[in-house]
Amino acid sequence: WRKLVELRAELPEETGQRLLQLGYEWLAGHEGRDEWSYIWQKLAELRGELPKETALALNDLALAWLTTPRNADRGEWDKLWEVCFRDGYRDTSFLAAGSEWVLGHSTLPQTPGLAGELLSTAGGTWVPPLELVVFCRDWLSTNTRHSSWSFLFGPLWDLDSSQETAALVPLWLDISPRGGSVRWVVKRLLRKRDAEIVRMLKKWVDAHPGSPQSVVIRKAVNEHRKTGV
């Protein structure tokens, strides 16, 4: 099947379509087979060549695979989840499976990115569990030098703009992040219009008067006072 699909451009169009349909029909009931994820990913890659109903059903098939306990530790688990997420799949069971996977695989490098995507979907029928919020906050407090820090802080702040979350920022500022990232984070904090946050930022600036980060913070605060943005 794999080789024939790769060569489908050389086959009659009807034969190529039939090959894709055979792959789709094989998926249901074979979730325990090692080649299942490869075939699913290949069909997802070729989603545009599938009938609309078949293309839409791929995400539901993936959910069945993702929620099978023995698959959670497979290296391709997060890759299948990401494909579905980028396709706009937002089934609450799918999001819950993502949250469980994050909490169970906290040391993997791709975990914070997936956690941020989960936080960004909050609203409607999906409410990220408290355990996920706590994980994100703990990760940010212990990974201040990580290049993805601000990418996870953003969705966490949008979901939980508490003093506890705000208190993560001075820890991050201590490692001298780039000015563009500092401006982006500080602007988000200031939009809450909380005097306590302004005091927190002033305290950090007073302790680091000559730092480039302090220059950025002062400028952002002044702009906010003038424009309110």
Side-chain angles (χ1 to χ4, degrees):
W1 186 86
R2 301 183 191 188
K3 292 180 179 178
L4 287 172
V5 167
E6 295 295 343
L7 296 171
R8 71 191 184 287
E10 302 173 22
L11 301 172
E13 183 178 349
E14 185 177 338
T15 303
Q17 284 294 319
R18 182 58 184 152
L19 274 172
L20 297 181
Q21 187 62 30
L22 284 172
Y24 170 77
E25 291 172 359
W26 179 88
L27 289 173
H30 293 89
E31 290 83 1
R33 297 281 289 271
D34 288 343
E35 58 268 40
W36 194 97
S37 58
Y38 171 86
I39 292 174
W40 186 91
Q41 288 181 84
K42 177 55 67 175
L43 289 171
E45 180 184 321
L46 302 172
R47 202 186 291 264
E49 298 181 29
L50 297 172
K52 185 176 180 179
E53 288 186 7
T54 301
L56 290 173
L58 279 178
N59 292 332
D60 289 332
L61 285 173
L63 177 59
W65 187 89
L66 291 166
T67 52
T68 300
R70 64 176 175 270
N71 292 331
D73 292 326
R74 294 185 61 133
E76 66 270 33
W77 194 99
D78 62 295
K79 297 178 182 62
L80 266 72
W81 192 93
E82 287 280 2
V83 171
C84 293
F85 186 84
R86 289 170 187 161
D87 189 55
Y89 194 49
R90 296 296 185 269
D91 184 280
T92 53
S93 297
F94 166 75
L95 297 173
S99 178
E100 290 175 15
W101 187 87
V102 165
L103 296 173
H105 300 79
S106 58
T107 59
L108 294 180
Q110 60 269 43
T111 297
L114 200 149
E117 290 174 332
L118 285 164
L119 295 184
S120 71
T121 63
T125 58
W126 165 248
V127 178
L130 178 60
E131 293 84 358
L132 181 64
V133 175
V134 171
F135 163 78
C136 292
R137 197 183 289 131
D138 289 346
W139 187 93
L140 288 166
S141 69
T142 56
N143 291 273
T144 51
R145 294 185 180 276
H146 199 284
S147 59
S148 296
W149 194 94
S150 59
F151 293 102
L152 181 55
F153 178 82
L156 176 61
W157 180 251
D158 290 342
L159 177 68
D160 175 36
S161 57
S162 63
Q163 290 296 326
E164 191 173 2
T165 301
L168 296 167
V169 174
L171 300 175
W172 175 66
L173 290 171
D174 286 342
I175 61 97
S176 301
R178 291 178 296 116
S181 296
V182 172
R183 178 179 172 81
W184 185 83
V185 169
V186 170
K187 284 282 195 179
R188 294 178 86 89
L189 292 179
L190 294 173
R191 286 185 198 132
K192 193 182 179 185
R193 302 177 184 277
D194 186 332
E196 199 59 44
I197 288 175
V198 175
R199 280 192 286 271
M200 178 192 75
L201 292 172
K202 183 178 184 303
K203 181 180 179 181
W204 193 91
V205 168
D206 289 345
H208 306 79
S211 75
Q213 291 73 33
S214 291
V215 174
V216 173
I217 293 170
R218 288 193 200 97
K219 185 176 180 180
V221 171
N222 288 335
E223 286 177 358
H224 179 73
R225 285 172 176 162
K226 291 178 181 178
T227 66
V229 179

